[in-house]
């Protein structure tokens, strides 16, 4: 799963949790490492990108290369993790041992390392609600990883990458909950870059990549999630209609998994009123072209903001 920040990637991630055919990573799967650097490096933090690995590294060194900040913080300094109260029973030594076993002997290509990263997590996860099998599909979520969609498809020709785009008014309001939010101008620039880039890749790799609107998910979950299941290649199950953790429904706020607190149409619309007039005006001007492409100007509660553009 890919998305911009506060675009509902965490919401979709939690809605896929509990599906009998899926192995859903517990937190953000931050695959990036500090070795990778390209012309987009200033756009997003490296942990949210797709990695490159130096040659000649051993299994343990490759494991450390992957930043995986949310999981490793939880495992190594639980009191410092926002997930400290989460019932996840996993010993990092077991995970490293499984990673080494699954990786096998070198040389190690990137695809093998990424596969071992996901498989070892579920091999070592002691209280995962079901047994992992080879027929199940692994699900990860990293907000900006769609920028690297072409490299991911190269490694995994059968990958299914779902990218969420959410209206920039609601998305920006939610990002203001962060202790260090981006400035509005920077947020709008990255909003345009994320979605136009992944839309380009979706046209180049239509069998692998699909761009979907968060608004469609919260306005009609049954039809939306049925389409998602078809794209992934799994059966639709009722568990896809609500957020959950380790197959247990999350009935209140989705935090700490993300700052989009509720997966409802009402929440998505109401929080726009918490922006001031200057913010709403700048967002409308700064996103008009891409928003019209995705049809946000046709949604009733967004239409007035774009009608004058």
């Amino acid at each position: 799963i890919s998305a911009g920040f506060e675009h509902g990637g965490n919401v979709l991630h939690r809605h896929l949790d509990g599906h009998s055919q899926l192995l859903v990573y517990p937190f953000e799967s931050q695959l990036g490492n500090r070795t990778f650097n390209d012309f987009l490096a200033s756009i997003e933090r490296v942990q949210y990108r797709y990695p490159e690995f130096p040659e000649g590294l051993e299994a343990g060194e490759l494991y450390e290369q992957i930043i995986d900040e949310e999981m490793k913080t939880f495992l190594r300094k639980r009191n410092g993790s926002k997930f400290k109260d989460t019932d996840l029973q996993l010993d990092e030594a077991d995970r490293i041992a499984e990673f080494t076993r699954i990786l096998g002997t070198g040389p190690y290509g990137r695809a093998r390392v990424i596969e071992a990263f996901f498989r070892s997590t579920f091999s070592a996860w002691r209280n995962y609600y079901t047994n992992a099998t080879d027929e199940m599909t692994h699900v990860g979520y990293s907000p900006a990883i769609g920028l690297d969609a072409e490299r991911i498809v190269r490694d995994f020709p059968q990958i299914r990458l779902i990218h969420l785009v959410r209206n920039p008014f609601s998305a920006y309001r939610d990002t203001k909950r962060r202790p260090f939010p981006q400035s509005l101008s920077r947020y709008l620039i990255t909003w345009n870059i994320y979605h136009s880039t992944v839309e380009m890749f979706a046209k180049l790799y239509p069998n692998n990549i699909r761009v979907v609107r968060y608004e469609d998910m919260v306005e009609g979950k049954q039809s939306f999630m049925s389409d998602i299941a078809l794209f992934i290649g799994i059966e639709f199950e009722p568990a896809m209609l609500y957020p959950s953790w380790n197959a247990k429904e999350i009935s209140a706020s989705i935090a700490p998994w993300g700052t989009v607190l509720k997966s409802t149409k009402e929440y998505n619309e109401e929080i726009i009123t918490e922006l001031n007039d200057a913010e709403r005006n700048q967002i409308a001007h700064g996103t008009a072209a891409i928003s019209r492409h995705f049809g946000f100007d046709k949604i009733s509660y967004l239409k007035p903001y774009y009608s004058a553009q």
Side-chain angles (χ1 to χ4, degrees):
I1 300 168
S2 164
F5 285 90
E6 282 64 59
H7 278 60
N10 61 294
V11 177
L12 179 58
H13 191 214
R14 290 297 102 215
H15 276 69
L16 295 180
D17 178 86
H19 191 290
S20 65
Q21 296 171 273
L22 300 178
L23 297 168
V24 179
Y25 198 77
F27 311 131
E28 287 183 356
S29 46
Q30 300 169 352
L31 303 176
N33 65 3
R34 293 175 178 83
T35 303
F36 179 66
N37 184 53
D38 70 350
F39 68 99
L40 292 172
S42 64
I43 299 297
E44 197 44 73
R45 287 165 288 175
V46 68
Q47 63 258 43
Y48 296 119
R49 302 294 304 279
Y50 195 58
E52 295 284 356
F53 297 105
E55 294 183 3
L57 297 183
E58 297 180 350
E61 295 172 312
L62 288 165
Y63 177 86
E64 291 299 333
Q65 280 271 314
I66 301 172
I67 292 177
D68 193 27
E69 182 178 23
E70 289 190 346
M71 175 68 96
K72 288 181 178 177
T73 299
F74 176 87
L75 295 176
R76 298 176 182 183
K77 193 176 181 181
R78 186 158 179 167
N79 284 339
S81 170
K82 64 182 180 180
F83 301 105
K84 61 183 179 181
D85 296 323
T86 301
D87 183 21
L88 171 63
Q89 297 175 22
L90 192 157
D91 186 278
E92 189 170 25
D94 294 338
R95 188 191 189 202
I96 294 172
E98 284 298 293
F99 178 84
T100 302
R101 179 187 67 80
I102 293 168
L103 197 56
T105 57
Y108 304 115
R110 180 174 57 198
R112 283 181 62 188
V113 176
I114 298 301
E115 181 176 354
F117 169 85
F118 281 101
R119 291 189 181 279
S120 62
T121 301
F122 291 91
S123 296
W125 188 346
R126 296 194 304 274
N127 67 329
Y128 193 61
Y129 79 99
T130 190
N131 294 323
T133 66
D134 290 340
E135 293 74 28
M136 299 172 76
T137 298
H138 290 82
V139 178
Y141 161 56
S142 188
I145 205 164
L147 294 172
D148 299 306
E150 190 166 47
R151 298 165 62 228
I152 300 171
V153 172
R154 191 182 309 149
D155 280 356
F156 298 99
Q158 303 304 316
I159 191 105
R160 295 294 182 267
L161 191 148
I162 302 165
H163 178 82
L164 279 91
V165 54
R166 185 188 185 200
N167 86 78
F169 301 93
S170 302
Y172 180 67
R173 171 60 190 95
D174 271 336
T175 202
K176 290 175 69 176
R177 300 183 197 281
R178 292 177 175 270
F180 302 102
Q182 294 179 357
S183 69
L184 179 53
S185 292
R186 176 171 176 173
Y187 187 84
L188 296 179
I189 290 169
T190 56
W191 189 92
N192 283 285
I193 290 173
Y194 284 154
H195 304 312
S196 59
T197 299
V198 184
E199 178 74 348
M200 174 187 71
F201 287 137
K203 294 293 190 290
L204 294 173
Y205 305 101
N207 294 328
N208 301 99
I209 303 167
R210 182 162 298 177
V211 180
V212 296
R213 296 193 314 184
Y214 176 80
E215 283 68 23
D216 296 325
M217 178 170 69
V218 296
E219 292 184 21
K221 285 186 182 179
Q222 178 83 42
S223 59
F224 180 90
M225 298 306 291
S226 294
D227 288 343
I228 292 295
L230 184 64
F231 178 64
I232 296 175
I234 57 177
E235 299 294 326
F236 169 81
E237 292 182 2
M240 302 174 77
L241 298 177
Y242 53 84
S244 63
W245 154 253
N246 203 10
K248 296 178 181 178
E249 182 174 1
I250 300 172
S251 57
S253 170
I254 299 176
W257 279 271
T259 53
V260 182
L261 302 181
K262 297 179 181 179
S263 60
T264 66
K265 175 184 176 181
E266 293 73 22
Y267 172 84
N268 201 42
E269 180 177 357
E270 289 168 1
I271 60 172
I272 297 176
T273 64
E274 299 172 15
L275 299 172
N276 62 46
D277 290 341
E279 290 172 323
R280 289 193 290 266
N281 186 58
Q282 185 175 347
I283 292 170
H285 281 291
T287 63
I290 302 298
S291 286
R292 288 195 176 100
H293 174 79
F294 289 115
F296 288 129
D297 60 323
K298 302 296 192 299
I299 295 176
S300 60
Y301 59 89
L302 300 174
K303 187 174 182 178
Y305 301 118
Y306 291 112
S307 59
Q309 305 305 314

